[in-house]
Amino acid sequence: VPSNLRAIGMLPFVYLLPAFSLVALYDHVATRRPRRAFDWLLLLLLIMGGSLTYHAYFQQWGQRADVFYENDADLVAVAAYIDATAQPEETTFVAALHYRHPTVAFLSQQYERIKWLPRNAALPGSGALVFPAAGPARVIYPHSSPMPAWAAPLLADATMESGASGPDGQPVYTAYTFSAAPPLSIAHPLAVNFGNAITLLGYDVGAAVEGALPLMLYWQAQGAPPQAFAPFVHLEDAWGHRWSQAEPDAYPSEQWAAGDWIVQRVNVPLPPGMPAGDYGLRVGLFNQESGDRLPNLDGAGRYAGNAALLSPIPIPASPPPLVLPAPPFAADQFAPPGLTLLGFERGGAAAQPGERLELAFWWLADAPLPSDWELRVTLAGLDNQEWTLLQGQPVHDSYPFAQWPSPLFLIDRQTVILPSDLPTGDYELAMQLLDSHGAAIFRQPLGPLRITAADRLFQPPPIVHRLDARFGDEISLPGYNLDGENLTLVWQALTAPTADYTVFVHLLDTQGVCCLWQQDAWPQQGNYATSRWLPGEVVLDTYIMPVPPETSGGYTLEIGLYIAETGQRLQVAQPNVPSNDAILLPYPPP
């Protein structure tokens, strides 16, 4: 449909071309017929045309309910209602498709006092309801943004007032007035402090409906943060794969006031193909421009990650969708009876020894399957030497074939680790399905893979600032170098690390509060997981750290390692320093 705004430029042509044609026709006919008769005919045509146009425009099109609401007539009524009834001590909330809706901005004298509950069209049913810390409040739902069903119990004791009826017989708005928040029954209470700006008080999870998981988040604001932060919710499996995400900014942070209770509903998308099992919801707040996240602070005010993990969240298997999605690499191969390999996903065409390789197999099962089948992923060189990278049941051995309901569409995501001693060269990846005797009953080529040499370092470079710190019994930090904004941490593996640890580097203010600047990632900007390190290997990990405006001292660098899934930090041992879960360094260094 063309843009109405751009189409305005066509109006002169729409009007003038018929007018010129009519004048030309009139002059032509007037030279051949009596002018008076033609004048009456023209007048009759104009009267008939005007009558038909009036009827079509004002009595048909203009009376349609969709035209009424598409032209914001309900918000016009809301603006008039607010101006007529607003009380000085009352907080007014308005639900609308747009934040700071321009129609209300143009019409209402009370516009600056309004707080908005914007509706996210990408997440149907999601939204927020806010209860101020003190004083009466009113929440207004225009016809175009009706009150969601989940909010009805929270407003059961509020006083309801409806506006006049629209062309469809429905109220153009409904207003609810209340003086206090209702009692909140939180199934999973928490107390997660995000940057001393807002606290996650807990959550409820409902049963999955129509491809979405209903999540209720309960927040209490401490005040508006200096930057704009919006919530995020990531749906992750036990192995860290993110299946979906939502960014439901239902109550923008610039509106937060100390003590506000924010009840937020998020319908988390459930994509087709998810295996049945326990999942986690990673919840936090981020700046949409910079990507910075509000830190999760523990009871002592120390950094404890940048999100809260809500788990376990059990999600059952869902029936296959009517239209199956297309895999990146189509196969559509019939395996043994009852099972079809629709396609697969795989990582890049090149990798280094010790790297992780992400794979996914898209299955469609339409009959019960045997319990003794297994998957095997192999890597074969040009000399026919073969390495087995994986052998076991689907979904990391957690979802055996025999447990699959029928029918089932399943995306089986697997992670294989390439051997650290794998010679460089060209290889071929393949997946096999094995029977109870270990014989291959199905084989699917997965394409070529080139193994390139890994650039490993085993001798530390010169170190200006020595630390000789040990994190557990796995990783040491001999020291660091600092050149202006460039901070280089020198890590060394004491043994092969057993997990993928996240490095945190925080610049604390002069009061020791996090964070003037922070970065949390795997080493080398997230590109070199600790599980790939070999015993004795040295890893140079560089960060560009902005220099504070006041460099006279008093700042602190906080450095450590933690497990992202749990937030658990590795304990640090240093000579003549009490044991801690982080290294604290004066900045600038002496």
Side-chain angles (χ1 to χ4, degrees):
V1 177
S3 164
N4 287 338
L5 187 59
R6 290 194 297 268
I8 287 176
M10 295 296 297
L11 289 180
F13 300 97
V14 172
Y15 294 144
L16 292 176
L17 291 179
F20 288 147
S21 302
L22 186 59
V23 170
L25 178 63
Y26 177 81
D27 291 340
H28 175 75
V29 173
T31 60
R32 293 167 173 78
R33 296 286 187 274
R35 180 180 294 270
R36 181 176 295 277
F38 187 71
D39 288 347
W40 283 107
L41 177 60
L42 180 59
L43 178 62
L44 179 62
L45 290 174
L46 289 175
I47 293 173
M48 291 176 59
S51 300
L52 292 174
T53 300
Y54 178 88
H55 176 75
Y57 188 88
F58 291 102
Q59 296 181 335
Q60 292 184 326
W61 183 82
Q63 298 300 317
R64 283 168 36 183
D66 59 338
V67 173
F68 182 82
Y69 293 116
E70 285 173 4
N71 285 276
D72 294 342
D74 55 344
L75 289 162
V76 172
V78 166
Y81 170 69
I82 293 174
D83 287 351
T85 61
Q87 301 296 322
E89 71 280 3
E90 184 179 76
T91 304
T92 301
F93 301 93
V94 176
L97 177 60
H98 304 293
Y99 179 50
R100 298 183 178 274
H101 202 287
T103 296
V104 180
F106 181 73
L107 295 174
S108 175
Q109 301 299 316
Q110 303 292 326
Y111 171 74
E112 296 298 334
R113 297 182 49 211
I114 298 173
K115 293 192 173 184
W116 296 90
L117 304 175
R119 178 164 53 91
N120 191 333
L123 296 170
S126 299
L129 189 57
V130 182
F131 299 95
R138 182 180 307 182
V139 57
I140 304 171
Y141 290 102
H143 183 280
S144 54
S145 297
M147 180 183 70
W150 58 265
L154 298 171
L155 296 173
D157 295 331
T159 302
M160 186 184 75
E161 183 179 359
S162 297
S165 297
D168 57 352
Q170 300 297 317
V172 291
Y173 64 82
T174 306
Y176 296 86
T177 305
F178 50 87
S179 57
L184 299 178
S185 178
I186 304 176
H188 304 279
L190 299 170
V192 184
N193 177 5
F194 286 99
N196 293 321
I198 193 168
T199 299
L200 179 61
L201 302 175
Y203 69 98
D204 300 338
V205 180
V209 179
E210 296 181 352
L213 182 72
L215 170 69
M216 295 288 283
L217 298 173
Y218 300 88
W219 307 87
Q220 188 167 31
Q222 277 79 61
Q227 302 179 45
F229 284 90
F232 66 84
V233 179
H234 296 167
L235 177 63
E236 302 175 354
D237 61 25
W239 300 274
H241 177 76
R242 186 188 304 173
W243 285 86
S244 73
Q245 68 184 56
E247 298 171 4
D249 195 9
Y251 190 58
S253 61
E254 65 180 5
Q255 299 185 134
W256 297 354
D260 280 353
W261 289 70
I262 305 170
V263 182
Q264 184 177 18
R265 167 67 170 259
V266 185
N267 285 339
V268 184
L270 298 178
M274 291 180 58
D278 288 339
Y279 288 76
L281 292 168
R282 192 173 299 277
V283 179
L285 299 107
F286 78 111
N287 182 286
Q288 294 173 315
E289 293 184 359
S290 66
D292 294 339
R293 295 185 179 185
L294 275 177
N296 173 3
L297 304 178
D298 64 15
R302 301 178 309 170
Y303 182 87
N306 53 27
L309 184 63
L310 318 181
S311 66
I313 309 293
I315 296 179
S318 59
L322 295 178
V323 178
L324 292 173
F329 297 93
D332 205 19
Q333 297 290 325
F334 290 99
L339 186 64
T340 301
L341 179 67
L342 301 174
F344 61 91
E345 301 174 43
R346 55 160 290 175
Q352 294 180 351
E355 275 193 21
R356 294 169 177 262
L357 189 65
E358 303 295 335
L359 302 171
F361 306 110
W362 293 43
W363 299 104
L364 181 63
D366 53 15
L369 302 174
S371 60
D372 51 8
W373 284 358
E374 285 190 322
L375 288 173
R376 181 166 66 189
V377 176
T378 60
L379 189 66
L382 298 180
D383 57 359
N384 293 325
Q385 185 178 1
E386 187 174 83
W387 284 262
T388 296
L389 305 180
L390 176 150
Q391 184 167 331
Q393 295 289 338
V395 193
H396 302 268
D397 275 333
S398 69
Y399 202 21
F401 287 106
Q403 294 182 11
W404 293 10
S406 177
L408 176 70
F409 167 58
L410 177 73
I411 300 178
D412 174 20
R413 300 196 176 277
Q414 299 278 3
T415 302
V416 299
I417 300 178
L418 300 174
S420 58
D421 58 350
L422 192 64
T424 60
D426 293 326
Y427 295 81
E428 289 290 332
L429 274 169
M431 182 272 289
Q432 298 172 342
L433 193 61
L434 309 180
D435 63 14
S436 58
H437 303 291
I441 54 177
F442 174 77
R443 183 179 186 278
Q444 173 63 48
L446 303 179
L449 180 67
R450 171 162 291 182
I451 302 300
T452 59
D455 186 14
R456 298 182 184 272
L457 180 67
F458 290 90
Q459 185 64 37
I463 299 175
V464 176
H465 303 283
R466 299 289 308 188
L467 295 174
D468 296 323
R470 295 169 63 97
F471 291 82
D473 295 322
E474 300 182 41
I475 298 174
S476 71
L477 184 62
Y480 69 98
N481 296 325
L482 183 62
D483 181 12
E485 295 184 346
N486 296 314
L487 170 68
T488 300
L489 304 178
V490 182
W491 302 101
Q492 187 164 25
L494 301 173
T495 183
T498 57
D500 286 325
Y501 297 109
T502 296
V503 180
F504 63 87
V505 182
H506 302 150
L507 182 61
L508 311 184
D509 65 18
T510 55
Q511 305 301 315
V513 176
C514 182
C515 295
L516 294 176
W517 174 86
Q518 69 183 80
Q519 187 164 340
D520 293 62
W522 287 355
Q524 296 185 352
Q525 305 300 312
N527 294 313
Y528 199 23
T530 55
S531 61
R532 294 177 54 193
W533 298 4
L534 297 180
E537 183 176 356
V538 174
V539 176
L540 304 182
D541 190 18
T542 300
Y543 300 84
I544 300 177
M545 186 179 65
V547 178
E550 297 290 339
T551 56
S552 58
Y555 300 99
T556 302
L557 270 177
E558 184 184 43
I559 300 170
L561 297 167
Y562 68 91
I563 299 174
E565 289 72 22
T566 63
Q568 180 181 358
R569 296 183 177 186
L570 287 181
Q571 289 295 307
V572 186
Q574 286 181 269
N576 304 317
V577 177
S579 178
N580 198 351
D581 58 9
I583 296 174
L584 300 177
L585 305 172
Y587 181 83

